[in-house]
Amino acid sequence: MWTRILGILLIIAGIIGGPIPVVPGSLIVVLGILTYFAGRERTLRRFIPERIPAFVAGIYNRVVAPVLQPLHDKMVESIAAHGPRRILDVGAGTGALAVGIARRLPGSRVAGIDFSPAMANIAALAGAGVPNLVFAVMDGKQMAFIDNEFDLVVSTSSLHHWREPVRIFNEIFRCLKPGGEAWIVEGYSGVDQAAIDRALKPRAWGWAHYRVVMYSLKIHGFSQEEYDTTVKDAIAQSNFREGVFSRSDIMMHIVLRKPVTAPAP
C-alpha cells in the first residue's frame, strides 16, 4: 500500500513541478508510475504504448541506450558472422543496432523502422552519413516493403510493445526471403545479479544498478512462463508456426525461419 501512496505523491509532485523545468518533472512522474506499480509490473506493461512519446524517446536515448550498447555490440558481431546482404530492424528505437550493423557491414543494405516518429528522428540523426542505412517511421503491422526483400530481420526489445504480435510476425514472414531468418531478442526477467553483471557494464548506475535492471526486465521483458504461453502461442498462430528459443544472460533469443518453400498463408 505504501508504494502506491508514494507513487501517487511522486506523480503529483512531477506534474506540479513539470513545467519548470520540464525534463525533471517528467522523470519524477515516470518514477512515480514505476513506484505505484511495484510488484505489478505485468499490469504496467499493458499500458506501454506502441508509439513511444517524444520525452520518453529522449530519456531512452540518454539513459537506456548507452547501458544496452554491449548487447548491441554482441549482436552486431553475430549478424556480421551470418553475412546477410539486406537487413531490416523492426522497432529500431534510437538506432544503435541498425547503425552498428551498417557500419560493420558496409556492403549490406540496412533499413530500420519504428512506429514512433521521435525514435525514428533520433535514429536518423545517429545514422546520418552512413550511406547503406535508412530509417523510416512505419507500422510493423503493415510494412511498405515488397515480398521476400530481406535476408535477415532483427528486432530487439520491441516485442513487449506489440499489441498484435501475430500480424507483425506475419509481416516479417512476408518480407523475408525464403530461407531467411528473423531474430527476435527480448529481455528475460528470470535472471540473477551475476547474469546482469555479465551482460552489462557492472554498476553502471551505482548501488541501484541491479534493482533498476531487474525492475526494467520485469516490465520490458518476459518470464519463461510468459514465453511458453503468450509468446509461443503468437508464433504458433503466425505463418512461422514455430521458433527456436535460447537464452543468454538477461536476454531471450527467438529464431524464426522462413522455409525455402514457404507454405501458403
Side-chain angles (χ1 to χ4, degrees):
M1 176 63 72
W2 71 268
T3 56
R4 296 191 185 187
I5 295 173
L6 178 58
I8 291 171
L9 292 175
L10 286 169
I11 292 170
I12 293 172
I15 292 172
I16 293 173
I20 310 173
V22 174
V23 174
S26 301
L27 288 173
I28 293 171
V29 170
V30 171
L31 180 60
I33 293 171
L34 296 179
T35 303
Y36 182 84
F37 283 98
R40 298 177 296 135
E41 291 82 11
R42 291 190 188 182
T43 301
L44 177 57
R45 191 192 303 151
R46 298 172 189 167
F47 297 98
I48 297 177
E50 286 189 301
R51 194 187 298 269
I52 302 301
F55 86 93
V56 175
I59 294 172
Y60 179 92
N61 191 47
R62 291 192 297 270
V63 178
V64 180
V67 176
L68 295 179
Q69 191 61 50
L71 299 177
H72 291 147
D73 292 341
K74 289 180 181 178
M75 194 163 180
V76 166
E77 292 308 312
S78 296
I79 292 169
H82 192 71
R85 295 185 59 83
R86 290 187 62 86
I87 306 121
L88 171 63
D89 186 356
V90 176
T94 54
L97 178 61
V99 171
I101 296 169
R103 287 176 172 163
R104 180 69 175 78
L105 295 171
S108 67
R109 296 182 65 185
V110 183
I113 66 168
D114 202 279
F115 197 34
S116 166
M119 287 286 199
N121 288 340
I122 294 172
L125 289 174
V130 183
N132 58 327
L133 173 65
V134 62
F135 287 104
V137 179
M138 198 177 298
D139 186 350
K141 296 185 291 296
Q142 192 174 6
M143 295 191 286
F145 300 112
I146 63 172
D147 296 354
N148 309 321
E149 185 167 354
F150 297 98
D151 302 300
L152 177 68
V153 176
V154 297
S155 182
T156 59
S157 301
S158 179
L159 178 59
H160 63 276
H161 288 281
W162 300 354
R163 293 290 179 265
E164 299 179 77
V166 175
R167 288 185 63 187
I168 297 179
F169 284 140
N170 283 341
E171 273 294 273
I172 291 173
F173 184 93
R174 180 185 65 78
C175 293
L176 270 175
K177 291 180 178 179
E181 293 184 346
W183 296 0
I184 312 298
V185 180
E186 190 58 273
Y188 178 72
S189 61
V191 299
D192 56 18
Q193 186 167 356
I196 292 173
D197 286 342
R198 284 195 302 269
L200 305 175
K201 181 180 178 182
R203 296 176 297 280
W205 291 318
W207 67 270
H209 174 74
Y210 175 65
R211 293 293 181 185
V212 170
V213 174
M214 279 297 300
Y215 196 102
S216 298
L217 287 173
K218 289 179 181 179
I219 300 172
H220 300 93
F222 296 98
S223 65
Q224 184 69 53
E225 176 190 1
E226 288 178 294
Y227 171 77
D228 289 336
T229 54
T230 305
V231 178
K232 205 170 182 178
D233 182 62
I235 294 171
Q237 292 180 51
S238 76
N239 293 329
F240 285 108
R241 306 290 189 245
E242 61 182 5
V244 177
F245 171 88
S246 63
R247 184 170 66 84
S248 175
D249 294 328
I250 68 171
M251 307 302 284
M252 60 170 55
H253 302 255
I254 307 165
V255 177
L256 308 172
R257 295 185 177 92
K258 183 173 182 177
V260 174
T261 304

